[in-house]
Amino acid sequence: MTKNAKYILDIINESKDHLTAEQVYMRLKEKNKKAVLATAYNNLSYLYHQGFIRKVSVSGYPDRYDKMKQHDHLVCIRCGKLSDLLLEDLTERLQKQIGVPMLSYDLEINYICDECLEKEQNL
Amino acid sequence: MTKNAKYILDIINESKDHLTAEQVYMRLKEKNKKAVLATAYNNLSYLYHQGFIRKVSVSGYPDRYDKMKQHDHLVCIRCGKLSDLLLEDLTERLQKQIGVPMLSYDLEINYICDECLEKEQNL
DNA sequence: ATACATGCAAATCTTTTGCAATCAA
DNA sequence: TTGATTGCAAAAGATTTGCATGTAT
């Protein structure tokens, strides 16, 4: 694990938000001024494939990166806003129902956030 | 609902696969030779926002479109392959745990498919 | 010395947009 | 006719890649 990869892993783990590669890059630059966007992408990709971080993909928005620790997401179908949810862990329940070994699961609850709801009501 | 939108909705509902916009477009052309990729995109987007179809986003791959009917997905984290799963419906269980009205949920189980597993073992 | 990581720029790919022409109510 | 939909081309945005350079072991 290289210096940049370590920095990035820390950035992800310390952040309460769901950061895009661009945002990770901006924070990485605070620690390593020479860093470049592609390096952020490359290391995020590496960390993801090694299973050190999660990646949340919502169509129409850039990928966002997240801690590994199991948790679920509330996704606004209008603006893509992402919030964490701590729901019961479904791992066992799901594993029983599937024939193959499960690595992890991603559960996203779709809703419309307050701001978007308000906007739609003001039409 | 326009002619193209209807065609596309039928294509999605009749397909057993998870079609990309490109694939939808190719099938749309069989019914309407003049159709164009952007029209497929526009109508898919319309159908999605109207809640007629689902959209499955896996990072690194084009979006795939799917029937509305609740079901879950098995996603290969190596090649992005998508398969349907019929697991127990978690709607009520989840709704009880969140404070806001839930529109729907997306549950993706991550695994490594047979082909990818074999490739990795042959290294 | 060697392999790997980086910086940089350019390429790629998906998806969206602007606009003019066309279609349908 | 009037507004929405289409076809088309171009733009936009996110992510990846190739390559030369730098770094660490």
Side-chain angles (χ1 to χ4, degrees), chain A residues 29-66:
Chain A
K29 269 209 300 196
E30 294 168 9
K31 307 190 183 194
N32 172 7
K33 293 194 177 66
K34 299 201 304 182
V36 120
L37 184 55
T39 296
Y41 271 107
N42 287 335
N43 281 295
L44 284 167
S45 175
Y46 163 79
L47 291 169
Y48 171 68
H49 280 104
Q50 293 298 313
F52 290 129
I53 61 178
R54 295 209 285 162
K55 176 149 77 162
V56 187
S57 176
V58 175
S59 169
Y61 304 94
D63 288 346
R64 281 165 283 190
Y65 296 87
D66 204 353

Side-chain angles (χ1 to χ4, degrees), chain B residues 3-65:
Chain B
K3 211 173 47 163
N4 282 326
K6 263 204 169 60
Y7 284 154
I8 289 178
L9 183 53
D10 288 347
I11 289 167
I12 301 292
N13 281 327
E14 285 164 15
S15 168
K16 278 179 210 111
D17 298 322
H18 306 87
L19 303 176
T20 63
E22 184 90 32
Q23 292 170 323
V24 167
Y25 161 62
M26 292 191 305
R27 298 194 187 186
L28 175 62
K29 269 209 299 196
E30 294 168 10
K31 306 190 182 196
N32 173 7
K33 293 194 179 67
K34 299 202 304 184
V36 120
L37 184 56
T39 296
Y41 270 108
N42 288 334
N43 281 294
L44 284 166
S45 175
Y46 163 78
L47 290 169
Y48 172 68
H49 281 103
Q50 292 300 314
F52 290 128
I53 61 177
R54 296 211 282 162
K55 176 147 78 163
V56 186
S57 176
V58 175
S59 169
Y61 304 94
D63 289 345
R64 281 165 284 191
Y65 296 87

